[in-house]
Amino acid sequence: MTQIGTDVHVAAEFLEAGNVVGIPTETVYGLAGNALNPDAVLTIFRVKNRPAFDPLIVHTDSLQKVRQFVADIPEPAHQLAQAFWPGPLTLLLPKRDLIPDLVTSGLPTVAVRIPRHPLTLKLLHLLNFPLAAPSANPFGYISPTTAQHVADQLGDQVPYVLDGGPASVGLESTIIGFEEGQATVFRLGGMAIEQIEAVIGPVSVRTHSTSNPKAPGMLSSHYAPRKPLILLQPGESPTPNNRAGALVFREPFGGIREDHQRVLSPTGDLNEAAKNLFAHLRTLDSLPVDVIYAEPLPNQGLGWAMNDRLRRASVQ
Ligand code: AMP
Ligand code: MG
């Protein structure tokens, strides 16, 4: 059985011994292991049932440490790191040999991020290695935003979950890469494109992919509940149904039982909605409903990333 606690020293001991540990971040909870230890990295893939072609994000706590395992930080990447780290932004940078190929699924770049969570920053500060950490959920399912979500899903395989409270952003990081000086977004996420563009100018967005995705957040079916999810069109209402659930932005639909509905943000705040998205989807998935309807969010700020998640959750 897993232990849920708040002791970074206990977490550090498990990690130093090559174990995996659940860690809080502002985006979602991560399943962390020593990024420089291939056995620990293999354990992450095994526990998550994650295909080996799906590379992991490496987490650390300073730009100085990042330089130890990346070969180069292009100027726009540096500007973004200065502006947004610690924060929900992952940069794809050329890797040094120190990072095992297993971590990057053989790619020449490594995904790097400094997470914005006080407990995890304290933990990273204690360690003399970076942490590889994908989201702490079985591959393809909804990402965890509380320690309890991690314990519920992976508890029997993870000795310790560091409890840092509910995730403050609630969406996975935005992933951005740099090819010949051009910045490209590979996954929409917790850092809004508008904010990124305010620092480095226009970026291109390439979040759709075929069978061998560069970022599995790019797979068409991902982040999905077990119940079928139907993403409505803007302005569309679901047909009345006693056995349906609904995820709505500001207010419940008529025709669906109120106790089968979850409101993301009564005041229409997209950041609040993002924080609630995955927990509400989990709750809806556990209700006695046969189908979950989801209302699309406005296409601005974190609304883009939430619509992306709902689209992928709606593909069976
Ligand atoms: P997760 O933390 O479960 O959301 O997964 C990490 C995400 O980062 C996955 O979608 C990976 O494919 C993506 N990622 C990690 N490394 C790379 C890389 N070198 N190139 C492109 N995407 C990456
Ligand atoms: Mg994931």
Side-chain angles (χ1 to χ4, degrees):
M1 261 322 281
T2 193
Q3 192 191 341
I4 298 183
T6 56
D7 192 334
V8 289
H9 296 278
V10 173
E13 270 173 39
F14 277 117
L15 291 162
E16 278 156 1
N19 289 301
V20 294
V21 162
I23 59 163
T25 83
E26 79 281 32
T27 60
V28 301
Y29 272 69
L31 180 66
N34 179 350
L36 309 184
N37 174 348
D39 288 336
V41 175
L42 272 176
T43 306
I44 296 174
F45 280 98
R46 186 173 43 75
V47 169
K48 266 192 73 105
N49 199 13
R50 182 176 176 111
F53 64 73
D54 188 349
L56 307 179
I57 297 175
V58 173
H59 297 70
T60 190
D61 66 319
S62 75
L63 202 50
Q64 216 173 324
K65 290 190 188 170
V66 170
R67 289 186 205 284
Q68 294 169 3
F69 54 83
V70 309
D72 179 43
I73 304 182
E75 186 47 31
H78 193 255
Q79 286 175 293
L80 290 172
Q82 293 289 354
F84 299 125
W85 278 355
L89 180 69
T90 293
L91 303 176
L92 301 179
L93 300 169
K95 83 175 193 75
R96 287 190 198 270
D97 291 344
L98 184 67
I99 298 289
D101 287 333
L102 208 53
V103 170
T104 66
S105 303
L107 292 169
T109 52
V110 58
V112 185
R113 180 167 105 80
I114 300 182
R116 191 178 67 219
H117 192 290
L119 266 191
T120 290
L121 284 172
K122 208 164 146 190
L123 172 65
L124 288 164
H125 190 71
L126 287 177
L127 300 171
N128 61 5
F129 48 81
L131 291 176
S135 50
N137 53 306
F139 185 71
Y141 192 65
I142 305 166
S143 299
T145 53
T146 67
Q148 192 60 50
H149 293 162
V150 182
D152 289 347
Q153 286 189 303
L154 302 176
D156 49 344
Q157 299 173 83
V158 180
Y160 195 72
V161 183
L162 189 60
D163 189 351
S168 62
V169 173
L171 290 173
E172 298 84 353
S173 58
T174 301
I175 299 180
I176 188 160
F178 309 88
E179 286 162 355
E180 288 149 24
Q182 171 60 45
T184 303
V185 170
F186 290 103
R187 178 173 75 183
L188 300 171
M191 175 65 63
I193 302 283
E194 293 92 326
Q195 282 180 278
I196 292 171
E197 292 191 325
V199 174
I200 58 166
V203 297
S204 49
V205 178
R206 202 190 317 154
T207 60
H208 295 279
S209 181
T210 50
S211 58
N212 193 7
K214 208 166 181 190
M218 296 170 93
L219 287 173
S220 51
S221 174
H222 212 67
Y223 312 108
R226 317 239 181 258
K227 306 274 169 69
L229 183 137
I230 296 175
L231 179 58
L232 298 165
Q233 295 299 317
E236 187 190 354
S237 300
T239 32
N241 179 348
N242 252 337
R243 296 273 311 171
L247 181 72
V248 298
F249 182 30
R250 303 183 64 149
E251 48 187 67
F253 286 120
I256 306 250
R257 287 168 51 153
E258 285 230 7
D259 60 340
H260 287 179
Q261 302 199 55
R262 288 296 176 279
V263 179
L264 288 169
S265 171
T267 60
D269 175 346
L270 287 168
N271 295 332
E272 182 185 29
K275 217 177 287 188
N276 289 326
L277 179 72
F278 289 139
H280 281 359
L281 268 179
R282 255 168 214 274
T283 307
L284 289 166
D285 208 14
S286 71
L287 293 177
V289 299
D290 302 325
V291 60
I292 301 167
Y293 289 100
E295 180 179 30
L297 292 136
N299 272 325
Q300 62 189 64
L302 297 189
W304 294 103
M306 281 187 275
N307 287 334
D308 169 84
R309 300 299 185 272
L310 290 172
R311 232 178 345 263
R312 291 174 208 272
S314 72
V315 175
Q316 293 300 310

